[in-house]
Amino acid sequence: MSHTYPKLHNAMWPGLVGKEEGTDHPPISLDRMLELTANAEVNGQKFEGIDYFLFHPHTDPDASDDELKAIADKIAAKGLKVGSLVAPIWPGTVGDSAMGDDEARGKFVLAVEKACRIAKIFNEHGVREYGVIRIDSAAGVADWTADPEANTKKIAETFRQAAQVAKDNGERLAAEGEICWAGMHSWKDMVNLLEAVDMPETVGFQADLAHTYLYLLGYNAPEHALLMEGYSDEEFWAAYKTMTDALRPWTIDFHVAQNDGSVHGTGSHDKTGRHCPADDPNGKLDIVKCAGYWLEGAADRGIKHICWDGCMFPNEMLETQQTWNTILDVMLKVRDAHGWD
């Protein structure tokens, strides 16, 4: 059965994250990523929008209003909407560590301010009608472990400052749980951080199928593992329910993805959950069934779209049109099974 919601988006940051000039995997331009997205089609169905990373070379976070309106025009001309935005919160972009010193944490909040400004321009243009602003702690797990309690408290304080900026601009922040981010590297630490922030109307969770699979296995937090090697199907779904029951009430943004159980990183990006093609024979996830655990009650939490994340796919894979058709096909299956009107 076809549904109107959630709208189906493709991410633009796979053309940027982990890409390095002068290598075999240089950045892929926004124009090319838009072209590949707009050209994808399955049985007459197409992607309806994009999620977007607010940094070079796709976007100057300090671009003028007119430059940003021109980008909005370009996206709209492809028949696409803009959904969730990735704030440039990492060191080397605008931001810095959410558990760093006052200067670093000030940069983190500044990155969210810049994201809110761009969001406002896209909203007023009309190309953006829904979505959140994505953040993480922009700090490593090894530094966090020196004093977990104090560092979680510091991250929570930074998130609250950023959340006040978002709230003042009518935006919500979604913290994406990944095993490489301090205080967000296990399902239990992620819940603890969200509870410490304690602003559920403004700060929630962005669930990604690839990253949350590694939560189950306890990468970087073996004490919080819910599965042991050689687990059975019954054990998997029991563990999946435990994790999603804890995080789903916080989930305000959702990434469809596949994972083969390994970690991966390229360029300056730390190792995190490996994103695999939707039809990867080594994929560990029943994508459609897993998505249902996260999308239960999604409309009540304000979710209006879902996004495919193919972060750190090799360029040859990204440049192949069939890659995106295959992804769109599984996205349509997710909506058919769990969508709403």
Side-chain angles (χ1 to χ4, degrees):
M1 177 182 176
S2 61
H3 295 284
T4 308
Y5 290 96
K7 301 300 184 184
L8 307 181
H9 283 217
N10 190 20
M12 295 295 95
W13 56 83
L16 298 181
V17 177
K19 306 303 180 184
E20 302 284 348
E21 293 286 4
T23 71
D24 292 337
H25 299 284
I28 298 173
S29 72
L30 175 61
D31 286 348
R32 180 60 176 152
M33 292 296 294
L34 289 172
E35 179 183 21
L36 289 162
T37 301
N39 287 346
E41 186 170 343
V42 176
N43 298 324
Q45 298 282 316
K46 301 177 76 69
F47 280 108
E48 292 151 306
I50 64 163
D51 285 7
Y52 193 26
F53 178 34
L54 303 177
F55 200 66
H56 304 284
H58 284 188
T59 308
D60 180 350
D62 293 310
S64 70
D65 289 13
D66 286 345
E67 288 169 329
L68 292 167
K69 288 172 186 174
I71 290 172
D73 286 342
K74 178 187 297 186
I75 295 167
K78 294 287 188 183
L80 300 167
K81 292 286 187 180
V82 175
S84 296
L85 303 173
V86 178
I89 44 85
W90 299 308
T93 58
V94 173
D96 208 329
S97 170
M99 64 179 203
D101 58 20
D102 288 347
E103 181 182 3
R105 294 162 68 191
K107 289 179 180 178
F108 186 100
V109 176
L110 178 63
V112 172
E113 289 178 2
K114 291 180 185 293
C116 287
R117 171 186 165 256
I118 296 173
K120 184 172 186 288
I121 291 169
F122 285 170
N123 294 345
E124 291 176 348
H125 176 280
V127 76
R128 183 171 182 264
E129 300 173 344
Y130 48 76
V132 301
I133 293 174
R134 180 252 187 236
I135 60 170
D136 58 56
S137 61
V141 178
D143 293 333
W144 176 87
T145 55
D147 193 341
E149 186 175 345
N151 285 325
T152 292
K153 183 178 179 181
K154 191 177 285 188
I155 296 167
E157 289 172 353
T158 307
F159 280 14
R160 277 198 296 272
Q161 291 175 31
Q164 190 58 55
V165 172
K167 185 176 181 179
D168 291 345
N169 284 275
E171 296 289 338
R172 295 193 295 173
L173 303 180
E176 184 177 16
E178 296 189 41
I179 60 168
C180 61
W181 300 126
M184 309 171 67
H185 57 285
S186 82
W187 67 274
K188 190 163 284 189
D189 288 313
M190 188 71 247
V191 172
N192 289 344
L193 177 57
L194 290 165
E195 289 177 346
V197 175
D198 194 24
M199 293 180 67
E201 74 288 350
T202 306
V203 180
F205 181 61
Q206 182 185 78
D208 177 294
L209 290 182
H211 298 314
T212 53
Y213 175 64
L214 295 188
Y215 274 0
L216 299 176
L217 304 180
Y219 274 93
N220 285 346
E223 69 276 17
H224 296 157
L226 294 171
L227 290 174
M228 304 299 289
E229 190 173 345
Y231 61 81
S232 67
D233 276 357
E234 184 179 5
E235 289 169 332
F236 174 85
W237 292 114
Y240 212 75
K241 184 178 188 303
T242 296
M243 175 180 67
T244 54
D245 281 355
L247 283 167
R248 184 175 56 250
W250 294 94
T251 300
I252 59 174
D253 207 52
F254 180 61
H255 287 171
V256 182
Q258 180 59 283
N259 185 283
D260 64 3
S262 67
V263 296
H264 179 62
T266 59
S268 59
H269 198 287
D270 287 336
K271 284 185 168 58
T272 186
R274 178 187 290 273
H275 288 93
C276 298
D279 57 352
D280 193 309
N282 296 316
K284 302 296 186 183
L285 301 174
D286 178 335
I287 292 174
V288 175
K289 185 173 180 179
C290 286
Y293 281 70
W294 296 103
L295 290 176
E296 181 184 328
D300 296 333
R301 298 191 300 277
I303 292 176
K304 294 186 178 180
H305 80 291
I306 57 178
C307 184
W308 174 267
D309 192 339
C311 194
M312 289 182 282
F313 277 14
N315 282 21
E316 183 180 3
M317 187 181 293
L318 291 171
E319 290 276 7
T320 302
Q321 188 62 57
Q322 186 56 44
T323 296
W324 305 107
N325 294 349
T326 301
I327 287 163
L328 178 57
D329 184 56
V330 77
M331 296 279 280
L332 287 162
K333 288 182 170 70
V334 169
R335 182 164 69 185
D336 287 348
H338 308 297
W340 59 92
D341 297 300

